[in-house]
Amino acid sequence: METCWWVLWWRLLVVLAVADVGLAIDEYSRADFPDGFIFGAGTSAYQVEGAANQDGRSPSVWDTFAHGGFAGGPTGDIAVDQYHKYKEDVQLMAEMGLDAYRFSISWSRLIPDGRGDVNPKGLEYYNNLINELISHGIKPLVSLYNFDHPQVLEDEYGGWVSRKMVEDFRAYAEVCFKVFGDRVSHWTTVNEPNILAHGSYDQGISPPGHCSPPFGAAACVHGNSTTEPYLVLHNILLAHASTVELYRRNYQGKQHGLIGITLYAFGFAPYSNLTEDVEATQRAKAFYLGWAADPLVYGDYPEIMKRNVGSRLPRFTTEESELVKGAFDFLGLIHYMQVSVKDNLSSLSLELRDFNADMGAEIMMALLGFDLIVQFPVRPRALQEILEDFKQLYGNPPIYVLENG
């Protein structure tokens, strides 16, 4: 979860390994990391590109959300203007000694109508960026989607609340595979779908800003916090899996790339040593991480979610379960903070419930705009514990730590 999506944040990209060598922070150097460890930076399109109204780009839901005045009205209209200054940015990356750059493609820039014709100027920009990175020895890692589908699809059928999004996303992804796949070897489909579904369709704090009373942001004017988060995550998983199937069938054999999806993981710790808080922590893990990870590994949602959410949780058909299960070559991991978890099973008695109430647990942090105020400090050991959870719960899948700090 990014604390401010329109500000350029350089992030440490660590691939396939995590070192815990017990040194003071100013004593670390590349020599402390194993061979093959990759350092890089990551951004999203709306954070950095700017040129929001130039060269054929259409508005995305981020544009609409930001121009609606959320968090005081900052927008990505200009941002750091990477659209025009990508050569300078790549030069800075090279001077920093980065090995990789993870960036997202703006669907609105590449295919302004959401489907159909490719925008030549958008195609030119991403080709130029990819070529510039490669010419400086920097590996491009591409994320297809970071909270920013074209507004035209939102207006037409509601974006991710509609199954129509599965087909349109797959078609958009295929364009990217066709035109960039000869130089891009690592793809992620959707960034933080678990946070997207919760934050955008229950809390209303990120685009398209859906929620419903008594849940979410006061400014919400449409949505349904009790059902939409579950429907959206379901549709995202189907879009992801359909895209992976397409890539594996038509492109992976000749392009030799890898494809995955990026999940956000809090470090969870019980608020106290009471059994109730320990059990609440396990529920929080199932709701926040298992919600997406269980279908990808096992083909279905966690049992605790099926029990607590009931008929509001969509069901996979047999064919869908088989499609989603194993639909990744790697899982991208994003982790920033540890939070404490307190039991709140009383919320299950509410007649009207959202994601938080269904979880029956209280996450002990305050959310003020995009600034997270957390009772627990950032705790480096939490990342190691999350990786251990992946190993024990999900059979030790390949993990790329794509954002942390």
Side-chain angles (χ1 to χ4, degrees):
M1 185 187 301
E2 296 151 358
T3 57
C4 184
W5 280 273
W6 45 76
V7 177
L8 176 61
W9 288 81
W10 295 107
R11 292 184 169 89
L12 175 66
L13 170 67
V14 288
V15 179
L16 296 179
V18 173
D20 184 8
V21 294
L23 298 176
I25 194 166
D26 59 351
E27 297 176 359
Y28 281 113
S29 71
R30 281 181 178 262
D32 297 307
F33 295 83
D35 293 339
F37 202 98
I38 297 176
F39 292 89
T43 63
S44 68
Y46 196 69
Q47 283 180 316
V48 297
E49 286 182 3
N53 303 310
Q54 296 181 26
D55 291 344
R57 181 187 180 276
S58 70
S60 75
V61 290
W62 249 126
D63 294 277
T64 303
F65 187 74
H67 280 271
F70 185 80
T75 75
D77 289 358
I78 300 173
V80 295
D81 198 23
Q82 189 169 93
Y83 184 77
H84 295 110
K85 299 179 179 179
Y86 69 92
K87 289 187 178 182
E88 298 172 44
D89 287 345
V90 173
Q91 182 61 41
L92 288 171
M93 296 179 212
E95 292 173 1
M96 292 171 64
L98 299 185
D99 306 309
Y101 178 48
R102 174 176 171 258
F103 62 94
S104 73
I105 290 175
S106 168
W107 189 345
S108 294
R109 192 178 300 283
L110 190 64
I111 308 176
D113 292 329
R115 66 176 77 89
D117 293 340
V118 174
N119 175 20
K121 287 291 187 178
L123 177 62
E124 179 183 18
Y125 167 68
Y126 291 113
N127 272 325
N128 287 343
L129 175 59
I130 290 168
N131 292 338
E132 191 74 12
L133 290 165
I134 292 172
S135 72
H136 285 78
I138 299 171
K139 179 188 292 290
L141 282 75
V142 173
S143 178
L144 293 170
Y145 181 86
N146 198 321
F147 293 55
D148 61 345
H149 57 274
Q151 182 65 38
V152 64
L153 299 183
E154 187 72 18
D155 294 339
E156 180 182 337
Y157 55 69
W160 285 115
V161 300
S162 171
R163 188 66 67 95
K164 293 180 181 179
M165 194 71 159
V166 175
E167 181 179 347
D168 283 340
F169 182 83
R170 175 186 168 113
Y172 154 63
E174 182 162 25
V175 171
C176 294
F177 299 150
K178 283 181 178 178
V179 297
F180 308 128
D182 59 330
R183 288 153 293 157
V184 174
S185 60
H186 290 76
W187 300 91
T188 53
T189 54
V190 179
N191 196 60
E192 300 179 345
N194 48 344
I195 297 300
L196 167 63
H198 184 212
S200 298
Y201 294 88
D202 179 0
Q203 296 179 316
I205 59 171
S206 49
H210 284 207
C211 63
S212 60
F215 311 107
C220 284
V221 295
H222 48 72
N224 187 329
S225 294
T226 69
T227 59
E228 285 191 1
Y230 302 115
L231 178 61
V232 164
L233 195 282
H234 195 76
N235 288 338
I236 289 175
L237 287 173
L238 293 176
H240 160 78
S242 179
T243 298
V244 170
E245 187 277 330
L246 169 73
Y247 182 72
R248 287 174 169 173
R249 174 164 48 84
N250 292 347
Y251 298 96
Q252 195 168 45
K254 53 190 175 184
Q255 294 179 353
H256 309 293
L258 299 174
I259 189 166
I261 192 169
T262 305
L263 306 180
Y264 186 90
F266 288 109
F268 287 116
Y271 181 75
S272 74
N273 60 4
L274 292 175
T275 300
E276 292 87 348
D277 290 345
V278 173
E279 292 175 349
T281 301
Q282 296 307 309
R283 290 197 301 275
K285 288 182 179 181
F287 268 73
Y288 272 97
L289 185 59
W291 188 18
D294 274 36
L296 291 166
V297 175
Y298 300 117
D300 202 0
Y301 295 113
E303 288 298 321
I304 187 63
M305 292 196 72
K306 291 194 283 186
R307 289 198 301 270
N308 288 11
V309 182
S311 62
R312 289 176 291 120
L313 185 68
R315 297 292 191 261
F316 294 106
T317 65
T318 300
E319 293 77 14
E320 289 169 347
S321 177
E322 291 174 353
L323 180 69
V324 172
K325 182 179 179 179
F328 61 92
D329 298 319
F330 64 89
L331 293 176
L333 173 61
I334 295 177
H335 167 71
Y336 285 108
M337 68 191 71
Q338 177 167 298
V339 296
S340 56
V341 183
K342 191 174 184 179
D343 176 68
N344 189 28
L345 274 178
S346 62
S347 65
L348 293 177
S349 64
L350 296 173
E351 183 176 350
L352 191 64
R353 301 201 304 268
D354 71 340
F355 178 90
N356 293 329
D358 290 332
M359 184 168 56
E362 184 179 358
I363 306 301
M364 303 300 291
M365 67 180 184
L367 188 59
L368 305 175
F370 285 117
D371 296 321
L372 290 173
I373 302 174
V374 187
Q375 290 187 348
F376 273 41
V378 173
R379 180 172 172 264
R381 181 73 67 176
L383 178 57
Q384 181 177 344
E385 292 168 355
I386 291 167
L387 292 169
E388 184 65 26
D389 279 345
F390 270 99
K391 180 178 180 179
Q392 298 300 327
L393 297 173
Y394 302 114
N396 202 24
I399 298 289
Y400 286 54
V401 182
L402 294 176
E403 297 179 31
N404 75 289

